[in-house]
Amino acid sequence: MGRSVRATVKKRESGKPHRGAAPGLALAMTGASSTAGGIVLRQLLETPGIGRILALDLDAPQLNHPKLIHAKVDFTHPSAADELAAHLRARSIESIVHMAFFARRSLDPSYLRDVEVGGTRHLLQAARASSIRRIVMASNTNLYGAAPSNPALITEDRTLPPWTEGALACRAEAERQLLEASQREPRLRALILRFAPTLGPASRNEVTRYLERSYVPMLLGFDPMVQALHEEDMAHAFALALFADAQGVFNVVGRGALPLSHAIRAAGSTPLPLPRALARAALAALAWGGLTSLSPTALDSLRYPWVADGDAAKARLGFIPRYSTREALEGFANAKRHAKQ
């Protein structure tokens, strides 16, 4: 943990804890039972200054820890907001880490929207009825879209494309809900962490499913710059955001970027450049096999860059990535080799 975070935590620990709670920040977390959520949960359980963690999810996290409590909640149920508020008040929760989002897009669109958009709305209603002072939400840099007009480094003030359907539209709507809630409630501090594609030994998402094949399709004649984030850096960013004197949207990215062909090789695979029709067919085959999804932006991602600028997270959150894009890819490659042995 960075020195600035330790100083902030030390200041918090000097205060009086809530009656009946473990000393430190009383935290709730959604999506803790997911793969990415489990990575973050382990980091937060070991972070100084965090007391008990209330996991709000249908499934319990695959982790036992004396500071961890699970409450079963269905975010799509009409009574979810009331149930969530009751749990938050009962545990005197102060802050929420919101990660109840899917790592794959090949789901029923209506269910996806019920969980990600409806679930976020219920969570914000519960937060308004409780004493929540901070919500840190997971998002992604792919919201910027891959486009020829993108600058070399995309900053947080860039206007998002008008996503109208699918996972990107759901995530953009969840972001909008949180930002509007923080504007209505001055006491609520909202932080949105837009993560670069996250990789590492434990990560399982659309990018890892794309890269896990021996031969990875590319679009013939195109080799856009890409970036990645190591899963440990993702978890560390959440720990920093919970104590930072900041709010708003932050890009969280690894150091540097690579051409897609180099990234594929660093991930332990061989790039396979294909004409547009064949590349689309290859992605469709991966989608049919459940390995990735054939989103409207899939081919654009193989053609155009969407590399984000991480300076704001460094300046405002104190986030300095430990791993580079190449190191994140190589960590994934090592795990992939071990899995085959």
Side-chain angles (χ1 to χ4, degrees):
M1 174 168 292
R3 185 179 302 171
S4 62
V5 176
R6 289 190 182 278
T8 304
V9 169
K10 186 175 181 180
K11 184 177 179 181
R12 280 197 62 93
E13 289 177 332
S14 65
K16 185 177 180 181
H18 286 284
R19 184 178 301 173
L25 177 68
L27 176 66
M29 182 175 178
T30 72
S33 65
S34 68
T35 302
I39 295 168
V40 174
L41 179 60
R42 286 178 174 83
Q43 166 76 56
L44 297 181
L45 285 168
E46 301 304 323
T47 297
I50 293 180
R52 291 183 178 178
I53 298 179
L54 172 64
L56 300 165
D57 208 332
L58 275 175
D59 300 318
Q62 300 299 308
L63 180 66
N64 291 319
H65 195 283
K67 289 167 55 175
L68 180 62
I69 308 160
H70 171 241
K72 184 176 181 179
V73 179
D74 181 353
F75 279 73
T76 67
H77 196 275
S79 65
D82 292 337
E83 292 181 40
L84 288 165
H87 288 301
L88 296 175
R89 288 194 296 263
R91 299 290 177 179
S92 300
I93 300 298
E94 302 170 80
S95 298
I96 298 173
V97 167
H98 185 27
M99 295 186 68
F101 301 100
F102 292 105
R104 63 193 308 170
R105 305 177 198 174
S106 51
L107 296 167
D108 176 66
S110 61
Y111 181 67
L112 183 73
R113 185 167 185 82
D114 284 347
V115 173
E116 297 197 353
V117 177
T120 298
R121 183 175 62 255
H122 288 148
L123 184 68
L124 293 175
Q125 290 170 350
R128 188 162 54 247
S130 308
S131 301
I132 303 303
R133 298 183 179 277
R134 181 182 303 242
I135 298 178
V136 183
M137 190 178 87
S139 192
N140 302 99
T141 56
N142 63 358
L143 276 180
Y144 295 117
S149 59
N150 281 343
L153 292 173
I154 304 172
T155 54
E156 291 86 349
D157 58 359
R158 186 167 180 83
T159 302
L160 300 180
W163 305 114
T164 58
E165 60 182 3
L168 294 176
C170 289
R171 193 64 56 92
E173 174 64 13
E175 281 196 10
R176 185 190 64 77
Q177 288 186 79
L178 178 54
L179 293 174
E180 289 183 354
S182 68
Q183 292 170 359
R184 291 191 302 266
E185 302 284 342
R187 67 179 174 83
L188 177 62
R189 183 166 291 191
L191 293 91
I192 295 172
L193 306 183
R194 288 180 182 159
F195 294 108
T198 303
L199 297 168
S203 293
R204 296 293 181 271
N205 51 52
E206 286 195 330
V207 175
T208 64
R209 286 187 285 271
Y210 169 71
L211 292 172
E212 68 188 5
R213 316 301 293 173
S214 298
Y215 292 91
V216 177
M218 292 180 57
L219 199 55
L220 186 64
F222 295 91
D223 198 6
M225 298 296 290
V226 297
Q227 64 188 164
L229 178 72
H230 195 283
E231 61 192 33
E232 292 180 14
D233 282 333
M234 173 195 66
H236 184 53
F238 273 108
L240 289 165
L242 284 168
F243 296 101
D245 184 16
Q247 58 185 330
V249 180
F250 298 92
N251 297 330
V252 180
V253 301
R255 298 194 314 273
L258 293 172
L260 178 58
S261 60
H262 293 210
I264 291 171
R265 292 189 182 96
S269 300
T270 300
L272 181 63
L274 297 171
R276 181 182 179 87
L278 289 179
R280 183 175 181 82
L283 291 176
L286 292 177
W288 184 82
L291 299 174
T292 188
S293 71
L294 186 59
S295 68
T297 60
L299 285 177
D300 283 345
S301 298
L302 301 184
R303 179 187 288 184
Y304 305 121
W306 42 288
V307 177
D309 188 318
D311 283 351
K314 178 180 179 181
R316 302 285 306 284
L317 305 182
F319 173 75
I320 300 175
R322 178 181 175 186
Y323 298 93
S324 67
T325 287
R326 180 178 293 278
E327 288 169 334
L329 288 156
E330 289 173 347
F332 168 73
N334 289 336
K336 185 168 65 173
R337 281 194 295 269
H338 291 151
K340 292 179 178 180
Q341 292 176 355

